[in-house]
Amino acid sequence: MSFLFYAGGVVALISTLLVILQTNVVHALIYLVLSLLAVAVVFFSLGAPFVALLEAIVYAGAIMVLFLFVVMMLNLGQTTREQEKAWLPTKVWFVPVVLATILLIGLLSSFPVNSIEVAEVGVMEVSGLLFGPYVLAVELASFLLLAGLISAYHLAKSR
Amino acid sequence: MYTIPFEHGLLLASALFALGLVGVTTRRNIVFVLMSLEIMLNATGLVFVVGSSRWGHADGQVMFLMILTLAAAEVAVGLALIIQLYRRFKTVDIDVLSQLKG
């Protein structure tokens, strides 16, 4: 099962890297969906099945479809792709990547290791907390969503 | 029962966060910037879930649900702003937004 964690982690890292290197927005979105699904697998391997399902349904399902709709509405074509290529030449990112890799190697070699005994924290515990001590936070979250809905409607309205 | 090193979870989250940060700072297409913000929020949620798994509490997962809600609201407003920007300036280049400064 710890194999699941590492496989999910590697897929998430590679697909996220591909997201920020893409020039076509739709391809980047598909890689982002892959990355979110991989993170959902990581959640599952960490013993959080409820959160893993929500990640797959809400993040990869709902939020990314919203993105896709807007990208299709904007209809960004070939010119944008060429613009993107011109904005990100190799010489811009090469040196920072090398320097950051040195920092990463330093970080990796200095880690102490504490291990997690993975035990499943299931839906019962989470929902018990959601409707117990965190009930006010849930209400506030619903207010936030309402505010988001209204402001998105107002902003996207053509006048 | 199996074990996963705690630091490996944190390392994965920080790597994802760093990739998101690189995306925010280097891309000039505003759709990519919003996508990178999503990556960063997701990495933050991953830290909460790793912590929840480390101490066997469900509180971290509740916090992840809050982050999920925040991300949904943020994306809705952000995409509406992108639509407005595209409608007015016919571009997704965020450098055009520097016209907004006073």
Side-chain angles (χ1 to χ4, degrees), chain A residues 104-137:
Chain A
L104 182 68
I105 290 167
L107 194 66
L108 279 175
S109 57
S110 68
F111 251 138
V113 172
N114 304 310
S115 55
I116 304 174
E117 291 273 326
V118 175
E120 193 175 301
V121 181
V123 188
M124 283 289 280
E125 288 91 337
V126 178
S127 43
L129 279 179
L130 276 178
F131 287 97
Y134 285 102
V135 70
L136 193 63

Side-chain angles (χ1 to χ4, degrees), chain B residues 45-87:
Chain B
L46 181 58
V47 176
F48 273 113
V49 175
V50 169
S52 145
S53 185
R54 168 73 176 78
W55 283 282
H57 281 298
D59 297 68
Q61 297 190 27
V62 173
M63 284 304 144
F64 179 79
L65 295 187
M66 297 300 150
I67 291 177
L68 200 69
T69 320
L70 175 73
E74 178 240 329
V75 162
V77 176
L79 288 174
L81 282 172
I82 290 178
I83 291 174
Q84 253 333 313
L85 178 74
Y86 192 72
R87 215 176 260 155

Side-chain angles (χ1 to χ4, degrees), chain A residues 69-129:
Chain A
F69 270 125
V70 170
V71 168
M72 288 196 297
M73 259 173 83
L74 295 182
N75 199 13
L76 307 167
Q78 185 67 38
T79 49
T80 322
R81 220 171 304 154
E82 278 154 12
Q83 225 174 7
E84 287 291 322
K85 280 207 182 90
W87 278 343
L88 204 66
T90 311
K91 68 175 186 335
V92 172
W93 56 261
F94 185 70
V95 176
V97 164
V98 170
L99 293 178
T101 311
I102 294 170
L103 287 182
L104 182 68
I105 290 167
L107 194 66
L108 279 175
S109 57
S110 68
F111 251 138
V113 172
N114 304 310
S115 55
I116 304 174
E117 291 273 326
V118 175
E120 193 175 301
V121 181
V123 188
M124 283 289 280
E125 288 91 337
V126 178
S127 43
L129 279 179

Side-chain angles (χ1 to χ4, degrees), chain A residues 6 13 19 34 41 46 53 81 95 98 113 125 131 147 159:
Chain A
Y6 290 109
L13 282 178
V19 169
L34 177 64
V41 169
L46 285 169
L53 285 176
R81 220 171 304 154
V95 176
V98 170
V113 172
E125 288 91 337
F131 287 97
R159 63 196 97 179

